[in-house]
């Protein structure tokens, strides 16, 4: 058929090439292209303008178009280039190209590619084959279908590995391939009832494609197995006097076949006696053998029988077994127990090996059935001791403890040695009397009790309860506080305990700042004879409350008053102005103090360290800043809720200050250089002052000669003496309201400044208008400075005429 198809195709091709022109000057030609199917869209097939000798520039004018004899337009022509390209994936169709002036027949042959895999009509092929089928038998399998043609269609088949089957590939008249299943080994359903195979069809394409189908072979059963018993001989023992209907043995014969071939029936053989068949009954369906008549060991001891099992197959098969039934003597008499004496109750302190009871046993049977054994439970502190034939004594084997086991239920069990053994039992209860042998026990040996300070007297702190496992008066407990004095104070004055229930109470209000902890002992004593006791250690910890507000100790001031301080206006940025110190008597956590401004005149001028309370300048003073600054500092603790204290500091600024200090004094110099005097007043006063200055200088020189010898002596406690050849700024720390300040003393080669004795309270000396060259300079070496002499200081001598003059003027004012 393939050859005929190709011959017809070639004939049409040659015939098309032989046709040329038609009417109306229409030329005809045939152009043949072969392309593979399923090319991507946009793929170029050929250049029609070149192959048909057409001018590319005239294609648009001549309105070249492509007519396709199909339902879809798979091909199209680019009118700009004349290229024939794929507009949509195609599958072997013919198309016609038509232009205005010429018609060209184009045959496009679609070449097959291997794009389809073989497929079976069914995914699973089921075959039923009898296990009696001889090997070499063939079975037809459905073939696979591949829509491809030629070599791309089904080429061969493969079968998965199997020791029972193989395949053989056949070729049909139309060239199609199919496979036959061949049995190469005899089947056995009892070994394998189902065979699962995989049949694979492979085409001849490149690369090759394949498809699979499952071949399921069901093996049909034949009656080729006879019923079999588990044993060929069964020995069964049966007691005499067994009830009628009792099961002797349940026979079970198995047949490996299935269906009716495996159904089994049971029957006696001809060799089984009538006596046996009358005594025992055989169920033909289940194989159960039961007692049909009473058995008597003295009449008949052994029964022999033969049972046949037959299946229900067409050609029935059978198997047989032998059964020997042995009748045994029955132990039909129970042993007896008799308690001769029994002592109860007994003290828990009874000694070991003391006899509690005497017991006798007996059995009317003979032989092993008449031999008896007496026993008691193993988990008891008692044991049996045989005193004579069939007489036993119950004695104490371990010390008894009523607190662990208050009473014992003792069961005597007597058992004979028959088969099956018979037994009898007798029970008695042994009570134990209590002895005061246990001391009271607290749950813990050490109690830590936390008590919040400011508690109310009489508050319950804790309940300290001990336990005594004894009974009655031996377990009645009384609680005491063991006396202990702390700082001449007895524990019974601080705490009390309820003697009956152990409740511990506080007798006073505790203050953490005074008492932080107590350590004492509590005793629990029972009422036994003699009494037993134990004690426990109690640790009382007083827990702090935030009940103390911070107290500001520096700067010191009277209650409700305001602290006043003076600072120079020329103070540099970062200079220490004041320091607030507050104390809190609470615990570490509650006494952690932080500082912050509550009110401040200018927030940009001062900073406050929240941890150390230091107040420092954030910038230098300007002429716009007011002379008086008011700072309100709050000191707040870390308690919950927080408590606080405040201090108000009034700072007054002066133009310039030079500070000198000793242990207990402060000297300040304040001057104003001709700020309010005009030039005429200066000239007038200068003349008068010159004469006065000479007089003062002579006086000072005479006075300074006297203390020179004392300079070699050790300095006084309240003196600061500075002797240097050059101008040096010396710093000495003095205390003022619990603050440490730095007081700068300046001196020159010509003069000395000595401060010795504290001045009367309230007096203050102001020295002003000190010109350069007088010998008194500030720390920077400049003459204009102010020295304030405080209430605790008085100048001893000053080597400067202007200084003395200013001091006298200040005193007169």
């Amino acid at each position: 058929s393939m050859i005929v198809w190709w011959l017809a195709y070639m004939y049409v091709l040659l015939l098309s090439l032989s046709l040329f022109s038609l009417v109306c000057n229409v030329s005809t030609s045939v152009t043949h292209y072969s392309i593979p199917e399923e090319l991507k869209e946009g793929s170029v097939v050929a250049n029609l303008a070149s192959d048909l000798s057409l001018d590319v520039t005239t294609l648009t004018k001549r309105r070249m178009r492509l007519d396709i004899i199909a339902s879809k337009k798979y091909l199209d022509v680019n009118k700009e280039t004349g290229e024939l390209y794929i507009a949509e994936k195609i599958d072997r169709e013919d198309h016609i190209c038509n232009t205005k002036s010429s018609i060209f027949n184009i045959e496009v042959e679609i070449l097959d590619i291997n794009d389809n895999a073989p497929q079976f009509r069914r995914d699973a092929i089921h075959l039923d084959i009898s296990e009696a089928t001889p090997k070499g038998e063939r079975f037809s399998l459905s073939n696979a279908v591949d829509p491809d043609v030629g070599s791309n269609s089904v080429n061969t088949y493969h079968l998965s590995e199997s020791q029972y089957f193989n395949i053989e590939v056949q070729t049909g008249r139309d060239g199609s391939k199919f496979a036959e299943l061949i049995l190469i080994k005899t089947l056995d359903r009892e070994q394998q009832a189902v065979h699962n195979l995989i049949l694979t069809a492979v085409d001849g394409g490149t690369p090759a494609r394949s498809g699979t189908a499952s071949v399921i072979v069901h093996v049909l059963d034949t009656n080729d197995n006879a019923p079999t018993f588990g044993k060929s001989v069964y020995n069964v023992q049966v007691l005499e006097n067994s009830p009628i209907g009792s099961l002797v043995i349940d026979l079970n014969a198995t047949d490996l076949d299935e269906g009716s071939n495996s159904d089994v029936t049971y029957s006696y053989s001809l060799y089984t006696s009538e006596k046996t068949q009358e005594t025992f009954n055989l169920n033909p369906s289940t194989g159960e053998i039961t007692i049909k008549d009473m058995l008597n060991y003295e009449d008949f001891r052994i029964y022999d029988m033969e049972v046949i099992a037959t299946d229900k197959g067409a050609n029935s098969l059978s198997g047989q077994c032998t059964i020997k039934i042995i009748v045994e003597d029955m132990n039909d008499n129970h042993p007896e127990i008799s308690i001769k004496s029994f002592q109860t109750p007994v003290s828990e302190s009874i000694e070991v090996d003391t006899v509690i009871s005497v017991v006798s046993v007996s059995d009317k049977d003979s032989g092993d059935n008449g031999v008896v054994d007496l026993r008691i439970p193993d988990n008891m502190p008692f044991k049996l001791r045989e005193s004579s034939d069939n007489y036993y004594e119950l004695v104490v084997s371990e010390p008894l403890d009523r607190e662990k086991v208050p009473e014992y239920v003792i069961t005597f069990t007597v058992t004979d040695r028959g088969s099956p053994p018979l037994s009898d039992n007798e029970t008695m209860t042994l009570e134990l009397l209590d002895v005061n042998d246990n001391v009271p026990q607290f749950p813990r040996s050490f109690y830590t009790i936390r008590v919040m300070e400011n508690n109310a007297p009489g508050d319950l702190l804790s309940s300290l309860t001990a336990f005594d496992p004894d009974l009655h008066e031996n377990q009645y407990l009384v609680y005491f506080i063991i006396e202990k004095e702390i700082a001449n104070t007895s524990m019974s004055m601080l705490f009390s305990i309820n003697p009956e229930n152990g409740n511990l109470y506080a007798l006073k209000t505790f203050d953490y700042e005074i008492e932080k902890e107590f350590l004492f002992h509590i005793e629990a004593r029972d009422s036994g004879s003699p009494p037993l006791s134990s004690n426990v250690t109690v640790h009382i910890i007083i827990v702090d409350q935030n009940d103390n507000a911070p107290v500001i100790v520096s700067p010191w001031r009277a209650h409700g008053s305001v602290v006043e301080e003076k600072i120079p206006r020329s103070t540099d940025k970062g200079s220490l102005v004041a320091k607030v110190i507050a104390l809190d008597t609470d615990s570490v956590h509650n006494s952690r103090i932080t500082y912050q401004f509550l009110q401040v005149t200018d927030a940009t001028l001062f900073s406050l360290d929240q941890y150390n309370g230091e107040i420092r300048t954030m910038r230098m003073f300007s002429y716009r800043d007011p002379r008086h600054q008011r700072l309100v500092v709050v000191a707040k603790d870390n308690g919950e809720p927080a408590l606080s204290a405040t201090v108000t500091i009034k700072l007054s600024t002066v133009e310039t200050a030079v500070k000198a200090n000793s242990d207990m004094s402060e000297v300040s110099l304040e001057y104003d250089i001709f700020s309010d005097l005009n030039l005429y007043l200066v000239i007038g006063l200068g003349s008068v002052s010159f004469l006065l200055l000479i007089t003062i200088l002579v006086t000072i020189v005479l006075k300074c000669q006297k203390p020179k010898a004392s300079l070699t002596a050790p300095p006084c406690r309240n003196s600061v003496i500075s002797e240097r050849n050059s101008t040096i700024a010396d710093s000495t720390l003095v205390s003022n309201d619990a603050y440490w300040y730095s007081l700068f003393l300046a001196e020159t080669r010509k003069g000395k400044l000595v401060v010795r004795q504290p001045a009367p309270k309230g007096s203050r000396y102001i020295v002003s208008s000190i010109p350069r060259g007088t010998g008194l300079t500030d720390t920077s070496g400049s003459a204009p400075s102010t020295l304030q002499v405080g209430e605790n200081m008085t100048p001893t001598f000053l080597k400067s005429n202007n200084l003395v003059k200013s001091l006298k003027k200040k005193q007169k004012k």
Side-chain angles (χ1 to χ4, degrees):
S1 60
M2 295 296 292
I3 295 174
V4 173
W5 187 85
W6 281 107
L7 289 175
Y9 174 75
M10 294 301 295
Y11 175 75
V12 173
L13 180 61
L14 294 174
L15 182 61
S16 300
L17 292 174
S18 63
L19 298 178
F20 290 111
S21 58
L22 295 175
V23 293
C24 299
N25 293 327
V26 176
S27 61
T28 306
S29 61
V30 177
T31 302
H32 180 80
Y33 297 107
S34 297
I35 60 172
E37 62 179 333
E38 297 186 2
L39 283 178
K40 294 183 178 179
E41 296 179 5
S43 300
V44 178
V45 177
N47 193 314
L48 294 179
S50 176
D51 294 342
L52 301 178
S53 301
L54 300 175
D55 187 1
V56 177
T57 59
T58 62
L59 295 180
T60 304
K61 183 186 296 183
R62 298 172 67 180
R63 291 183 295 179
M64 181 180 181
R65 66 182 182 276
L66 187 66
D67 292 334
I68 303 299
I69 308 175
S71 59
K72 295 182 179 180
K73 189 175 183 179
Y74 295 98
L75 300 175
D76 204 351
V77 176
N78 189 334
K79 296 178 182 180
E80 302 295 333
T81 62
E83 291 178 344
L84 178 67
Y85 63 90
I86 303 296
E88 188 176 347
K89 288 185 180 181
I90 56 179
D91 190 1
R92 293 178 294 179
E93 301 291 342
D94 295 333
H95 309 282
I96 300 177
C97 177
N98 189 5
T99 65
K100 180 177 181 181
S101 60
S102 300
I103 298 176
F104 301 93
N105 291 333
I106 300 173
E107 291 183 357
V108 179
E109 178 186 359
I110 308 303
L111 300 179
D112 181 45
I113 63 173
N114 189 24
D115 56 346
N116 294 286
Q119 292 183 350
F120 289 90
R121 294 182 177 87
R122 295 192 302 272
D123 293 335
I125 302 172
H126 294 271
L127 297 177
D128 294 333
I129 302 176
S130 173
E131 64 177 331
T133 302
K135 62 180 180 179
E137 190 74 20
R138 293 173 177 265
F139 303 93
S140 298
L141 301 175
S142 62
N143 61 327
V145 178
D146 193 332
D148 293 324
V149 296
S151 61
N152 293 332
S153 62
V154 178
N155 184 37
T156 185
Y157 293 89
H158 300 290
L159 186 67
S160 60
E161 184 178 356
S162 174
Q163 61 177 332
Y164 292 97
F165 297 97
N166 201 352
I167 61 170
E168 185 176 300
V169 180
Q170 302 290 340
T171 303
R173 293 181 179 179
D174 56 354
S176 62
K177 305 285 186 172
F178 62 90
E180 289 185 345
L181 186 66
I182 302 175
L183 181 65
I184 60 176
K185 184 178 179 181
T186 304
L187 301 175
D188 189 351
R189 191 204 62 79
E190 286 72 33
Q191 292 183 0
Q192 188 173 353
V194 179
H195 296 265
N196 294 303
L197 308 174
I198 302 298
L199 180 63
T200 304
V202 183
D203 61 20
T206 303
R209 294 177 177 267
S210 62
T212 60
S214 298
V215 179
I216 302 173
V217 178
H218 300 274
V219 182
L220 302 180
D221 181 54
T222 58
N223 191 23
D224 56 349
N225 294 281
T228 57
F229 289 92
K231 296 180 182 178
S232 59
V233 177
Y234 292 90
N235 292 320
V236 183
Q237 296 177 347
V238 181
L239 290 175
E240 64 173 331
N241 301 323
S242 296
I244 296 175
S246 299
L247 178 64
V248 177
I249 189 174
D250 185 5
L251 298 176
N252 184 19
T254 58
D255 195 322
L256 299 179
D257 295 323
E258 65 178 0
S260 60
N261 296 331
S262 63
D263 294 338
V264 178
T265 58
Y266 302 90
S267 60
Y268 288 117
S269 68
L270 299 176
Y271 300 100
T272 303
S273 63
E274 293 183 0
K275 174 63 176 176
T276 301
Q277 296 184 27
E278 291 176 356
T279 306
F280 299 96
N281 181 44
L282 174 62
N283 190 318
S285 299
T286 62
E288 293 181 350
I289 297 178
T290 56
I291 297 175
K292 191 177 181 179
D293 196 5
M294 291 296 297
L295 299 179
N296 192 340
Y297 175 78
E298 290 72 24
D299 293 342
F300 219 89
R301 299 184 180 182
I302 298 176
Y303 294 89
D304 291 322
M305 63 180 68
E306 191 175 85
V307 177
I308 299 174
T310 306
D311 61 27
K312 297 181 181 180
N315 298 319
S316 61
L317 301 177
S318 62
Q320 63 182 17
C321 68
T322 301
I323 302 172
K324 179 179 288 187
I325 300 176
I326 301 173
V327 180
E328 294 183 347
D329 185 26
M330 184 177 179
N331 184 23
D332 51 357
N333 291 290
H334 290 266
E336 297 179 355
I337 301 175
S338 177
I339 298 177
K340 301 301 182 181
S341 65
F342 179 60
Q343 180 183 355
T344 186
V346 296
S347 174
E348 63 174 326
S349 59
I350 189 172
E351 296 182 358
V352 178
D353 286 338
T354 301
V355 177
I356 302 298
S357 177
V358 177
V359 180
S360 67
V361 295
S362 62
D363 195 319
K364 296 179 181 179
D365 291 327
S366 60
D368 290 339
N369 295 334
V371 178
V372 296
D373 298 312
L374 181 65
R375 67 177 186 277
I376 59 174
D378 297 333
N379 57 349
M380 290 189 173
F382 307 101
K383 65 180 180 180
L384 289 171
R385 184 170 59 195
E386 188 173 3
S387 59
S388 60
D389 291 342
N390 295 332
Y391 277 84
Y392 296 89
E393 293 178 346
L394 179 67
V395 296
V396 179
S397 60
E398 299 175 7
L400 304 181
D401 189 351
R402 190 209 60 80
E403 286 71 33
K404 294 182 179 179
V405 182
E407 66 178 18
Y408 292 92
V409 178
I410 305 173
T411 300
F412 296 92
T413 302
V414 58
T415 306
D416 62 21
R417 299 182 183 179
S419 182
L422 298 178
S423 62
D424 194 7
N425 58 70
E426 191 73 27
T427 301
M428 68 176 189
T429 302
L430 177 64
E431 296 181 1
L432 300 183
L433 298 176
D434 182 51
V435 176
N436 190 25
D437 55 351
N438 291 278
V439 298
Q441 296 291 331
F442 286 92
R444 291 180 290 174
S445 61
F446 191 90
Y447 284 86
T448 299
I449 303 173
R450 296 182 178 273
V451 180
M452 190 68 66
E453 68 170 331
N454 302 320
N455 61 296
D459 281 353
L460 176 64
L461 304 183
S462 181
S463 181
L464 310 178
T465 305
F467 172 72
D468 193 326
D470 291 326
L471 287 179
H472 308 304
E473 67 276 359
N474 295 332
Q475 71 172 169
Y476 295 149
L477 302 180
V478 180
Y479 300 91
F480 306 92
I481 294 178
I482 299 178
E483 288 298 332
K484 178 182 179 181
E485 289 189 358
I486 298 178
N488 297 327
T489 301
S490 174
M491 287 296 104
S492 59
M493 299 176 63
L494 302 176
F495 305 96
S496 70
I497 189 168
N498 189 318
E500 296 181 356
N501 56 25
N503 289 342
L504 183 64
Y505 299 92
L507 296 181
K508 61 170 288 187
T509 300
F510 297 106
D511 189 349
Y512 173 82
E513 287 71 31
I514 299 175
E515 305 144 326
K516 291 182 173 56
E517 63 180 4
F518 301 95
L519 190 68
F520 56 93
H521 300 279
I522 290 179
E523 177 180 312
R525 183 184 306 164
D526 62 24
S527 302
S529 181
L532 301 177
S533 64
S534 64
N535 61 70
V536 66
T537 303
V538 179
H539 184 200
I540 303 293
I541 298 176
I542 308 302
V543 180
D544 181 47
Q545 280 186 336
N546 191 28
D547 55 347
N548 292 283
V551 177
I552 296 177
V553 298
S554 178
W556 183 90
R557 85 281 186 214
H559 182 70
S561 62
V562 177
V563 178
E564 296 184 358
E565 297 285 348
K566 291 185 178 182
I567 60 173
R569 291 188 67 85
S570 61
T571 302
D572 293 334
K573 175 184 177 181
S575 298
L576 179 65
V577 175
K579 182 172 183 178
V580 180
I581 299 176
L583 299 179
D584 193 324
T585 56
D586 288 324
S587 63
V588 176
H589 177 75
N590 292 329
S591 65
R592 190 176 304 155
I593 298 175
T594 57
Y595 304 88
Q596 62 185 20
F597 281 129
L598 189 62
Q599 293 180 6
V600 60
T601 303
D602 189 348
T604 65
L605 189 55
F606 301 100
S607 67
L608 173 62
D609 191 303
Q610 63 173 340
Y611 298 111
N612 58 26
E614 291 182 353
I615 302 175
R616 294 182 180 270
T617 56
M618 296 174 62
R619 59 177 176 84
M620 295 187 65
F621 287 94
S622 66
Y623 69 93
R624 295 181 179 178
D625 293 327
R627 290 182 175 272
H628 300 285
Q629 300 284 335
R630 185 174 184 269
L631 308 178
V632 180
V633 179
V634 58
K636 185 183 297 184
D637 62 20
N638 197 39
E640 186 63 33
L643 302 178
S644 62
T646 60
V647 61
T648 301
I649 303 174
K650 286 186 178 181
L651 296 178
S652 300
T653 59
V654 295
E655 291 300 326
T656 307
V658 175
K659 296 184 179 179
N661 61 354
S662 66
D663 291 341
M664 298 178 58
S665 63
E666 175 179 331
V667 178
S668 301
L669 300 179
E670 182 175 342
Y671 61 93
D672 191 359
I673 305 175
F674 311 131
S675 60
D676 297 325
L677 298 179
N678 52 31
L679 182 61
Y680 300 101
L681 182 60
V682 172
I683 295 173
L685 292 176
S687 301
V688 177
S689 300
F690 179 75
L691 295 175
L692 182 62
L693 178 61
I694 293 175
T695 305
I696 295 174
L697 286 176
V698 173
T699 305
I700 292 175
V701 170
L702 294 175
K703 290 183 178 181
C704 289
Q705 291 177 352
K706 297 179 180 180
K708 281 184 178 179
S710 64
L711 292 176
T712 59
C716 297
R717 180 176 178 271
N718 297 326
S719 67
V720 176
I721 301 177
S722 178
E723 294 183 356
R724 298 186 184 272
N725 293 327
S726 60
T727 302
I728 300 174
D730 192 11
S731 174
T732 304
L733 297 179
V734 299
S735 174
N736 180 22
D737 292 343
Y739 281 94
W740 291 98
Y741 291 94
S742 205
L743 182 64
F744 295 92
L745 303 179
E747 58 220 80
T748 64
R749 296 179 180 179
K750 297 181 179 180
K752 302 174 184 177
L753 177 64
V754 180
V755 180
R756 292 201 175 193
Q757 304 176 16
K761 185 174 183 181
S763 62
R764 180 176 295 271
Y765 299 91
I766 306 298
V767 180
S768 61
S769 302
I770 301 176
R772 298 181 182 272
T774 59
L776 183 62
T777 60
D778 60 9
T779 57
S780 61
S782 59
S785 60
T786 301
L787 177 62
Q788 295 183 2
V789 182
E791 59 183 5
N792 296 328
M793 305 270 309
T794 181
T796 303
F797 61 88
L798 299 173
K799 188 179 180 182
S800 174
N801 189 28
N802 288 345
L803 178 61
V804 174
K805 183 178 180 180
S806 298
L807 291 173
K808 289 181 178 181
K809 288 182 179 180
K810 187 66 177 179
Q811 284 181 328
K812 290 180 179 181
K813 291 181 181 180

